[in-house]
Structures are given as C-alpha cells and as structure tokens.
Amino acid sequence: MAAVASLVLALALGLVGVALNLAHHQTAVTALQARMESYVYLVLAAAEVDENGSLEVGDDMGDPRLSQPGSGVYVQVHGNRANWTSPSALGLRLPELQHVAAGQARFLEPSEEVPFYSFQYGLAWQLNSGEEVPFTVSVLVPAREISRQTRAFRQGLWRSLGTAGLILLLAQLASIYLAFRPLQKVARDVARVESGQKPALEGRYPRELEPLARNVNRLLQTEKGNQQRYRNALDSLAHSLKTPLAILRTSLESPEPESRAALAAAVEDMHHLVATRLQRAAVSARRTMVQPVDLAAEVERVLASLRKVYSQKMIETMVTISPGLQFFGEQRDLLELLGNLLDNAFKYGQGKVRLVAGVMDSSQARPGLWLRVEDDGPGIAPEQWPALLQRGVRGDERQEGHGLGLALVLELVTAYGGSMEIQQSELGGAMVYVELPATW
C-alpha cells in the first residue's frame, strides 16, 4: 500500500506540475502579447507622417526600453515609402517580416527561422490629399524573455511540489501505519491465544474490528464448550458402561445357558449407551458460523410428519411466526427442539396445538428468537414442572416414551445460552416457553 500510494502520489504531483507549467507558460505568452500590443500604440502615438508619406517617430516613446539598445524589445515600421526601427535594435539584424493588411493583427511564437515573439499590426495613414499610405508595425521580443520566466517558475514549482509530495508521503505512511496498527495488535493477540498465553482476545479494539474480536472469542468459547461436552459425554459413557461390563464379565465366567440372554442384553445396552451419548454430545455441540435456518420451513416440516403420525386425533394446529424469522444454529438442533416440543403437544393435546415465535434483540447481526408451544391437554400441575425437565420423568405414565424429550430440549437450550420454562396454557393444557438469545 505504501508503494502504491507513493506511485499514485508521484504521478498525481507530476501531472499537476506539468499542468501548472503549461498554464504558466500560456499566461506568460498572453501577457507578453498584450504588452507587445501596447508598444504598437506607444510608437503610433509618437509617430508623424508628412505629405510625402515619410514617417518620423519622436524620441519620447513613453517606454525607455524602446530607446535602450539591446533592451529586448524591438519595433519596426515598414511602409512603401519609409521604414523605421527603434533605437533599441541598434547593432542588431532583425528578421524581415511580411506586411499585414490594414486593420489586421498577427501574433507569432518563435520558430527556427524567426527566434522572436512577434506582434504585427497593419494600418493605413491618410494624407491631407486623401491618399492612404500603408504601414506595418512589428514588435519583436526574443524567445529567451519567456523561457527565462518559465524556467524560474518551473524550478520553484518543482521545489514546492517536491516538498509537498514529501510531506504528503510521510502523512500517508503515518496514516497507513496507524490504520494497520490495530491489525498487528490482533495478530499478536491471536498468536498469544494459539500459544496458550491468553484464553481469548482481550482489550479494546477499533470499532471496525470489534465484530471480528467478538466472533473469534465466541468461536473459542464454543469450541471449548464443545470439548467440555464431549469430555462430559465420554465420562458419562465410561460411568454408564461399568454395569454392562460387569454383567459381561460375570456372564463370561458363568457356564449357565441363561448367561447368554444376559450377555446379549448387556451388549445391546452398551450399543445403545454409546450411540446415545455420542449423538447427544454431537447434537449439543453449538456452532457459531453456521448458515441461518428458516424457522417457518422447519416448523412446517415437523408438523407435516406429526400430522401423519397423529392423524387419528385430528389435531388443529395454529402457527404464528414473525416474517423472516431465522434460527442461527445447527438445523438438526432446531429439528430436535421442535420435534420434541411439538411431539409432546400432539401426544397430550386433545384437539388443538398452538406455536407462536418471534424475534429477540433484532438490532444484533444474528438476532435470537423465542417460541411458545401450547396444547389443550390435561395440563401439568405446577409442582411437577421442575421434575419434568429431568431425564426419565414423564407427565403421563399411560403414554409411551422414555421421559427424555423435555430434558433433551433443556440441554439444547442451555447449550445455546437460552432458557426454558413450563407454564399453564390458555388452551387449558401445558405451555413450554423457550428463549434463545442473540449471537454476535
């Protein structure tokens, strides 16, 4: 960036310098033309023509340069009968210029043949007899008159632009350094996190880098939580396998035929424990960088399945979801959450199930959501609400199930940093209220 900035700055200042130099040259030439035209009028004011058409110019011409030899301003007057050259051209051989018609003016810049700026003006002097005598007044100025001015201006211009360019370059380098300094700090902090010196990105960062720091910290927290959940799942699995392993050991040592059934049951229990524990660890592993999931589509997907399963009950479903509501998490987590809540509502409801969902913290880039699932079933006594969130506890022993649905939902909600409550529904049955907060 410093190299590109320097190159662009050099090109820009170079173009500015060329443009200013051309503009100054044009201005100087225009001013010289106006000055040369004034010399024409000075000479004409001091000139007299007699009846014979002879031209005489007085000594007082209003500008001492016209009388000073080698002054750099030379005037010639050409006529059919007489010519006049200003005293300033004494000892010089001036080029011969073409005549100009009366009333016409011509300005020429230097060339190889005529190394002078020339301004010519044609006129006709009317004598008393009515005869008109043509004259051409030519003013010549050497080319060095303008080149000297242009050279001096160019030297000052490039010195000024060089100084300004150096100041601007230093300012750009300072700006680039200050702009990228926070990124260097982030890089150092990330390196400390990788080496284990720091648990997360700490300190204050510029406003533009705050979302990056939040997301990195969120990712670190998520991965640490995932590792902890896998560790807990493995610890729980190891603890749960103690009993089946003891049964296996006992069955292998026993010669009785009945031990085969116990052995098969123990193997089945171990298979179920391994599959369940690892699945729960994977499902509860929250991800921070996943694509958002459309809530309405997933709700309809779950309801379509439940309507087929409970088709004999003719359940009426009432769904109210805020437009465009999204779930920022794993799709399978959302399906498990909705599946368990709606399955309980269909199972215990008599004829109506209602789901209402809305947004939380809409100002955040990844807003949260809340949802409420209700049914018109027999309801749940308030003293039973805490117990229903424990594994293996069912609200109605007459219904099939293992009592894990609400406990699994609570694990999911807790993994996402949310909360869950059981209350009484206006429909007469139970209501489960879930909040999933916004993520950064």
Side-chain angles (χ1 to χ4, degrees):
M1 289 188 66
V4 171
S6 302
L7 179 60
V8 172
L9 181 62
L11 290 176
L13 291 179
L15 292 175
V16 170
V18 171
L20 289 178
N21 185 63
L22 291 175
H24 175 266
H25 176 80
Q26 188 62 37
T27 301
V29 170
T30 302
L32 176 62
Q33 179 179 352
R35 198 163 64 247
M36 294 171 72
E37 186 176 359
S38 67
Y39 288 134
V40 172
Y41 299 135
L42 290 176
V43 171
L44 292 177
E48 291 290 341
V49 179
D50 58 17
E51 289 299 325
N52 297 323
S54 298
L55 178 68
E56 293 183 4
V57 180
D59 295 335
D60 186 11
M61 291 174 285
D63 192 322
R65 297 187 66 182
L66 295 176
S67 302
Q68 181 181 354
S71 65
V73 179
Y74 315 114
V75 181
Q76 290 179 330
V77 180
H78 298 280
N80 293 337
R81 303 178 185 178
N83 296 324
W84 177 84
T85 301
S86 64
S88 59
L90 182 63
L92 297 178
R93 184 176 179 180
L94 300 178
E96 296 183 2
L97 302 177
Q98 297 179 355
H99 292 274
V100 177
Q104 299 295 321
R106 180 172 62 188
F107 177 78
L108 297 175
E109 295 194 14
S111 62
E112 293 183 2
E113 295 78 12
V114 182
F116 292 89
Y117 287 95
S118 61
F119 180 83
Q120 293 180 281
Y121 184 77
L123 58 94
W125 198 290
Q126 187 174 14
L127 303 178
N128 294 332
S129 62
E131 180 185 1
E132 292 184 354
V133 180
F135 293 98
T136 297
V137 182
S138 301
V139 181
L140 292 92
V141 175
R144 65 176 181 273
E145 181 78 12
I146 296 298
S147 61
R148 186 168 49 245
Q149 298 180 27
T150 304
R151 188 183 308 111
F153 175 80
R154 188 186 301 118
Q155 292 175 355
L157 173 65
W158 290 120
R159 281 196 297 268
S160 300
L161 289 179
T163 303
L166 181 60
I167 295 174
L168 290 175
L169 179 60
L170 294 177
Q172 285 185 344
L173 294 177
S175 300
I176 293 174
Y177 172 76
L178 293 176
F180 282 92
R181 187 177 180 183
L183 290 180
Q184 296 176 349
K185 181 178 183 299
V186 171
R188 290 194 298 268
D189 292 345
V190 170
R192 293 191 183 100
V193 171
E194 290 177 345
S195 62
Q197 301 178 13
K198 295 177 65 176
L201 297 181
E202 301 173 352
R204 298 184 60 182
Y205 297 96
R207 180 177 57 189
E208 294 80 5
L209 296 179
E210 286 179 358
L212 172 65
R214 285 201 303 267
N215 283 319
V216 171
N217 288 336
R218 192 73 175 182
L219 182 62
L220 292 172
Q221 294 173 4
T222 299
E223 293 306 316
K224 289 180 181 178
N226 292 343
Q227 293 177 4
Q228 185 62 39
R229 276 187 286 275
Y230 275 112
R231 190 178 296 112
N232 293 339
L234 293 176
D235 291 343
S236 179
L237 178 61
H239 180 75
S240 301
L241 288 177
K242 289 182 179 179
T243 301
L245 287 174
I247 295 174
L248 286 175
R249 186 181 300 109
T250 304
S251 300
L252 291 174
E253 295 174 354
S254 175
E256 298 179 1
E258 292 80 5
S259 62
R260 290 179 174 271
L263 184 62
V267 171
E268 182 64 26
D269 289 343
M270 291 176 65
H271 176 75
H272 177 73
L273 284 171
V274 170
T276 302
R277 296 293 182 179
L278 293 182
Q279 182 182 11
R280 289 306 320 138
V283 169
S284 62
R286 187 179 179 192
R287 301 288 183 265
T288 58
M289 300 302 176
V290 295
Q291 294 292 328
V293 182
D294 184 68
L295 182 65
E298 301 305 320
V299 168
E300 187 57 35
R301 178 180 173 184
V302 174
L303 288 177
S305 300
L306 292 176
R307 290 190 187 107
K308 296 178 181 178
V309 175
Y310 296 95
S311 59
Q312 75 282 358
K313 300 185 69 173
M314 302 295 291
I315 299 293
E316 177 189 356
T317 57
M318 297 168 286
V319 179
T320 304
I321 299 177
S322 299
L325 186 60
Q326 293 179 320
F327 170 71
F328 290 89
E330 293 285 352
Q331 182 183 25
R332 61 183 180 181
D333 290 352
L334 179 61
L335 287 175
E336 176 133 0
L337 185 148
L338 294 173
N340 281 293
L341 293 181
L342 290 172
D343 182 67
N344 281 342
F346 271 74
K347 183 184 299 182
Y348 297 106
Q350 302 299 323
K352 293 183 180 181
V353 171
R354 180 166 62 191
L355 183 146
V356 183
V359 67
M360 291 178 57
D361 299 328
S362 59
S363 61
Q364 298 291 339
R366 298 165 65 90
L369 62 87
W370 60 266
L371 58 90
R372 189 170 66 242
V373 178
E374 307 173 65
D375 62 69
D376 62 345
I380 304 173
E383 59 272 11
Q384 291 183 315
W385 293 349
L388 288 178
L389 299 179
Q390 301 176 9
R391 286 178 172 268
V393 178
R394 287 183 288 153
D396 189 350
E397 296 295 336
R398 293 171 297 179
Q399 298 285 349
E400 295 183 359
H402 300 283
L404 297 176
L406 291 180
L408 295 179
V409 172
L410 180 60
E411 288 183 11
L412 276 173
V413 172
T414 303
Y416 280 87
S419 60
M420 175 178 170
E421 295 179 1
I422 301 177
Q423 301 176 6
Q424 196 71 26
S425 170
E426 296 178 355
L427 300 179
M431 180 189 74
V432 180
Y433 179 75
V434 173
E435 285 189 354
L436 300 175
T439 59
W440 296 287

